[in-house]
Amino acid sequence: MSPYNLLPRFKAQYDANNQEFSISGVVRPQAIDELGTSLALLRDAIGRVRGVLYVNVRRLTQMNNAAFYAFSRIIIDACRARPDLKFVVITSSVVGWTSRKFGRLSKIEPNITVEQYDSQFYPGQGFLEEGGFVPILRTQTKMTWRHERAILPRHGMRPGIVMADICCGIGDFAVLVQKEFQPSRIVALDHSISSLNYARQVMQEFDIRGIEYTYGDASEMLLDEAQFDLVTCRHSLQIFNRPELILKELYRICKPGGRVYITNEKNSHCLGEPRAESIRWTYNEVAKLFGHFEMDVELGPKSRRYLLETGFEDIRVETFMVTNLDGDPQDFADVIVAWADVYAGEMATRRGDGPEFVARFRQGFQDHIFAALHPKGYAGWPIWVASGRRPQ
């Protein structure tokens, strides 16, 4: 995502992950020239996408007529120049005027649809076991992708390879890889039929080709051995009670000389300022909570050992920190809100935690959000990346 801080009071962004152009804040230019950069960004986004371009105005609080007509003119012209492209304008039920104002566009051009954001907007929201986690998963991938797109070539990613993305979830990583690196073939596997249905729907909407979504158990896959140049498995080993079984399967389907790429976390290293002590306490407790359910969200630094014990060689390990300074701080805050809801909600309840513990546990998440949104604050979420080569 490329932030465009064009004016002190509004921001325009393009997110390639979601094929989404967004405008937020107060847009009241005195002269149209003030919008030059953001209008260019919209034109650039239109030139990049296929299928559907989402135009998100749900965080738009004010917009004068000059700005409305400038953005609308570009969208309408694009509809006429590219009938293959559809626009979905996302408005807000909180800022009701956006639905009325942008609703006019759908009456002018049939390729423009206006949807009001609410809990039913995301098509996968109702069917994932995690309930409502689809937007959060997509936001997480959006935040990590800006790092991984630079890291992946150092771990075997290159155009034209044959790759597999195991535990692909809702498929957004495979879509980004296909757009950025253009492998000749991607097989994306997951055990959740609902997630795969969502992934196929996104692929169709965005007119993405070359990804084969398939159902399967990552610890016992029906894929032939030694057929992939690169096998990726992100944020998944840490939530299986026996990650070594998954790694053996990743090794098996990887070609001799190919690489397996994994990412994992060490949750106790999440940090923030101000209110560092409260934040540190809560994430130490997150690690213990996952441990109670036989999951290891401290696995990140252990990645090298796991890869070596599986038989890989030429192990490469690096880390990156996702922070509130990566794009919109609200995205970071939204992720933490979702974590708090699950960890200090259902998971703490199932472990039998008392109200006093849960209140302190939840406070650490709230302090992390405070740090992310504070004008002088800093909030971080560390990720470990590791890859190993299967011997020839």
Side-chain angles (χ1 to χ4, degrees):
M1 183 182 293
S2 301
Y4 279 66
N5 295 311
L6 309 174
L7 292 171
R9 303 182 67 189
F10 87 94
K11 182 163 59 179
Q13 297 175 304
Y14 173 64
D15 170 16
N17 181 12
N18 293 323
Q19 291 200 170
E20 180 180 275
F21 174 83
S22 61
I23 322 170
S24 58
V26 177
V27 191
R28 298 183 63 83
Q30 298 302 307
I32 207 67
D33 292 347
E34 297 173 24
L35 300 176
T37 309
S38 56
L39 295 175
L41 180 63
L42 176 57
R43 291 192 185 93
D44 182 63
I46 290 169
R48 289 169 180 263
V49 303
R50 294 185 300 180
V52 178
L53 175 62
Y54 290 94
V55 179
N56 186 338
V57 295
R58 65 189 175 93
R59 290 181 183 165
L60 187 63
T61 54
Q62 292 183 35
M63 174 178 265
N64 66 13
N65 282 334
F68 174 75
Y69 288 120
F71 284 107
S72 300
R73 187 72 263 166
I74 292 174
I75 294 171
I76 291 170
D77 287 347
C79 287
R80 294 169 182 172
R82 288 189 55 191
D84 60 303
L85 185 62
K86 298 184 184 302
F87 289 85
V88 175
V89 181
I90 307 162
T91 63
S92 170
S93 57
V94 176
V95 188
W97 63 265
T98 57
S99 299
R100 295 192 299 275
K101 202 173 189 75
F102 285 91
R104 301 172 191 166
L105 299 180
S106 61
K107 297 176 182 175
I108 299 172
E109 283 294 335
N111 276 3
I112 300 174
T113 303
V114 178
E115 297 187 8
Q116 186 166 283
Y117 178 84
D118 59 28
S119 62
Q120 298 302 313
F121 174 72
Y122 289 95
Q125 192 150 357
F127 60 65
L128 272 190
E129 294 90 340
E130 296 85 352
F133 235 60
V134 167
I136 298 306
L137 293 175
R138 300 204 68 161
T139 301
Q140 288 186 174
T141 301
K142 179 174 67 176
M143 298 179 76
T144 57
W145 176 249
R146 58 173 53 89
H147 300 275
E148 289 190 87
R149 66 186 302 184
I151 289 171
L152 279 163
R154 298 198 285 272
H155 295 264
M157 178 65 77
R158 62 187 185 278
I161 62 170
V162 177
M163 68 166 284
D165 184 32
I166 307 304
C167 305
C168 69
I170 58 174
D172 45 358
F173 178 72
V175 167
L176 288 167
V177 165
Q178 179 65 8
K179 286 182 176 180
E180 183 77 18
F181 296 103
Q182 299 180 338
S184 61
R185 180 188 177 207
I186 302 179
V187 174
L189 178 144
D190 201 90
H191 70 281
S192 168
I193 291 175
S194 54
S195 293
L196 292 171
N197 287 339
Y198 179 85
R200 292 187 182 104
Q201 181 176 329
V202 170
M203 184 174 69
Q204 183 176 13
E205 283 186 358
F206 292 175
D207 194 20
I208 302 293
R209 299 171 190 177
I211 303 174
E212 303 165 30
Y213 288 109
T214 185
Y215 174 78
D217 179 353
S219 66
E220 196 171 358
M221 291 183 277
L222 298 177
L223 300 173
D224 292 338
E225 64 179 271
Q227 60 171 312
F228 297 104
D229 301 295
L230 178 66
V231 180
T232 59
C233 185
R234 301 167 60 260
H235 300 282
S236 297
L237 296 178
Q238 62 188 28
I239 60 171
F240 286 96
N241 61 349
R242 296 191 63 188
E244 67 276 9
L245 294 181
I246 309 283
L247 276 168
K248 285 181 181 176
E249 277 295 89
L250 304 183
Y251 183 98
R252 184 184 66 80
I253 65 173
C254 183
K255 288 180 181 176
R259 298 192 74 84
V260 165
Y261 168 95
I262 59 176
T263 66
N264 290 287
E265 303 168 50
K266 184 175 177 65
N267 254 256
S268 63
H269 282 200
C270 286
L271 51 83
E273 283 285 348
R275 304 180 181 178
E277 185 175 345
S278 168
I279 296 167
R280 187 182 308 115
W281 182 86
T282 284
Y283 283 99
N284 276 321
E285 292 301 321
V286 169
K288 296 175 187 175
L289 178 64
F290 273 75
H292 176 82
F293 294 104
E294 299 186 59
M295 296 182 279
D296 185 5
V297 287
E298 300 286 275
L299 193 147
K302 304 171 189 172
S303 300
R304 181 171 184 270
R305 172 168 61 83
Y306 273 110
L307 288 167
L308 284 169
E309 290 176 351
T310 306
F312 290 100
E313 60 185 18
D314 186 24
I315 310 298
R316 300 170 188 172
V317 180
E318 53 188 300
T319 62
F320 63 89
M321 181 75 80
V322 177
T323 80
N324 59 324
L325 306 181
D326 295 341
D328 189 345
Q330 187 63 52
D331 285 342
F332 192 101
D334 289 345
V335 170
I336 307 306
V337 169
W339 289 356
D341 288 345
V342 176
Y343 303 165
E346 182 182 355
M347 291 181 72
T349 300
R350 286 178 58 188
R351 190 172 62 168
D353 294 332
E356 186 175 340
F357 172 87
V358 170
R360 185 180 178 191
F361 193 33
R362 190 175 287 277
Q363 184 61 49
F365 293 115
Q366 291 170 348
D367 289 338
H368 208 198
I369 293 166
F370 180 83
L373 298 179
H374 192 286
K376 299 178 183 176
Y378 180 80
W381 166 37
I383 309 290
W384 269 254
V385 169
S387 73
R389 183 178 62 206
R390 177 174 173 175
Q392 292 281 359

